[in-house]
Amino acid sequence: MELEDLRTFVEVADAGGVSSAARRLGLAKSIISRRLFRLEDELGSQLLSRNTRGAVLTEAGVSFREHAVRICSEIDAAREELSPDGDLRGLLRVAGPASFGQHFAPAIAAFAAQHPLLQVHTRYSDRYVDLVAEGFDCGIRVGYLPDSNLVARRIGSFSVSLYASPQYLAAQGAPEKPEDVVGHQAVMIGTESWKFSEGRKTITVNPQGRFKSDSALAIAEAIAAGVGIGALPDVIAATYAEAGRITPIMTRYQLPEVGIFLVRSPGQHLARKVRAFIELLVNRFARAA
């Protein structure tokens, strides 16, 4: 029984179809199908039921998947134990936020350059990515991390300030204190609160506005267009501020920093490729801080 056949079966089972698994693995669908056929032929049992929407596990497939995952994990762990200092190999899949892609892309590229035998696949999206269902080894997330069953490690943070465009300020004026914010149109990620600090005093405000987006870049553009005021990580705002399109306001008050987190699925064995990637990001953003 070929190990690559086991890994391919697990990928197809988790991805829900040959096409999705082929995209994850970067392989032709014909290769995926050939490996599945070979595995089912050797086992003498149908593991997947194919249909026009993809593939679902049969009863035998559900049972066998658990064994296949355990076998692959144990072989990976054994290989790393036998050669803990060897070259990193295999495939590392990382999900990252599109709005902050330019801030993480150099670190990921450097990691790929350091490990020439390792395949590195990165997908950037501002939507919430289900790491387990979509087959990612880990993900980079920016913000205030909600409770979840993922293992999270904080690797850094971005400072945040309140911004508005010159045209908005000319038309509406600038809020001077937190209580003034509710009288202005806000540009937001969703239903949120802004916590302003001045010394030891913290004031929480629930802003209201008609423009919401899950993209920090979209929020920055809306602020620059004069739609309203908004809280932005300063690394995102910098380009707009330098061009004179937005300007910081209420600078005497502080907003909480947003964290940078590396998240992964819980499990007993942390692959060396993931551990090495975490260490690189921690070092990079620790130095930046």
Side-chain angles (χ1 to χ4, degrees):
M1 187 177 297
E2 298 290 337
L3 180 61
E4 65 181 12
D5 295 349
L6 291 177
R7 295 190 189 280
T8 300
F9 163 66
V10 173
E11 288 290 348
V12 173
D14 292 348
V18 171
S19 297
S20 299
R23 286 193 295 270
R24 287 187 184 184
L25 296 172
L27 296 173
K29 289 191 290 185
S30 59
I31 295 176
I32 302 293
S33 297
R34 191 181 311 127
R35 290 179 179 178
L36 290 175
F37 177 80
R38 186 168 59 196
L39 181 61
E40 290 180 325
D41 184 61
E42 185 170 354
L43 292 171
S45 180
Q46 183 180 0
L47 301 176
L48 292 156
S49 176
R50 286 80 161 175
N51 55 46
T52 56
R53 295 184 178 181
V56 294
L57 290 169
T58 63
E59 184 177 349
V62 172
S63 176
F64 186 72
R65 182 196 170 280
E66 296 180 9
H67 296 288
V69 169
R70 185 168 60 251
I71 291 168
C72 292
S73 178
E74 289 178 355
I75 289 177
D76 288 340
R79 281 178 171 173
E80 291 184 2
E81 186 174 337
L82 290 173
S83 120
D85 300 319
D87 293 329
L88 294 182
R89 298 172 182 268
L91 172 62
L92 176 69
R93 289 168 293 196
V94 182
S99 295
F100 297 85
Q102 62 180 318
H103 302 287
F104 300 115
I108 297 174
F111 185 74
Q114 289 175 15
H115 305 285
L117 300 181
L118 181 69
Q119 297 182 60
V120 180
H121 294 183
T122 309
R123 182 185 298 172
Y124 290 100
S125 173
D126 284 324
R127 70 175 179 82
Y128 179 86
V129 175
D130 188 327
L131 299 182
V132 177
E134 299 184 46
F136 289 98
D137 295 294
C138 57
I140 302 170
R141 293 188 177 160
V142 177
Y144 309 108
L145 201 65
D147 292 336
S148 73
N149 63 346
L150 298 175
V151 177
R153 177 168 180 180
R154 188 184 180 104
I155 59 176
S157 61
F158 290 130
S159 59
V160 177
S161 301
L162 198 64
Y163 289 90
S165 69
Q167 61 265 41
Y168 180 90
L169 296 176
Q172 304 295 333
E176 297 182 358
K177 55 187 184 297
E179 292 83 353
D180 298 337
V181 168
V182 294
H184 287 262
Q185 279 287 320
V187 178
M188 303 174 288
I189 293 176
T191 302
E192 60 193 72
S193 60
W194 293 343
K195 296 182 179 180
F196 296 95
S197 298
E198 184 183 26
R200 295 183 178 180
K201 183 180 179 182
T202 299
I203 301 173
T204 301
V205 174
N206 296 311
Q208 301 296 318
R210 62 187 178 85
F211 189 98
K212 298 181 180 181
S213 175
D214 63 354
S215 165
L217 293 178
I219 289 174
E221 287 290 345
I223 296 172
V227 175
I229 63 176
L232 276 178
D234 294 320
V235 293
I236 298 293
T239 302
Y240 294 85
E242 289 170 4
R245 299 182 64 194
I246 64 175
T247 185
I249 57 176
M250 286 178 52
T251 54
R252 60 184 282 194
Y253 296 93
Q254 300 289 321
L255 285 168
E257 296 180 332
V258 292
I260 307 170
F261 299 91
L262 196 292
V263 295
R264 61 179 179 84
S265 302
Q268 294 182 342
H269 174 66
L270 177 61
R272 189 160 62 94
K273 61 186 179 183
V274 178
R275 187 165 61 248
F277 182 64
I278 293 173
E279 290 173 358
L280 178 135
L281 289 182
V282 169
N283 291 334
R284 283 259 177 153
F285 287 94
R287 287 201 305 268

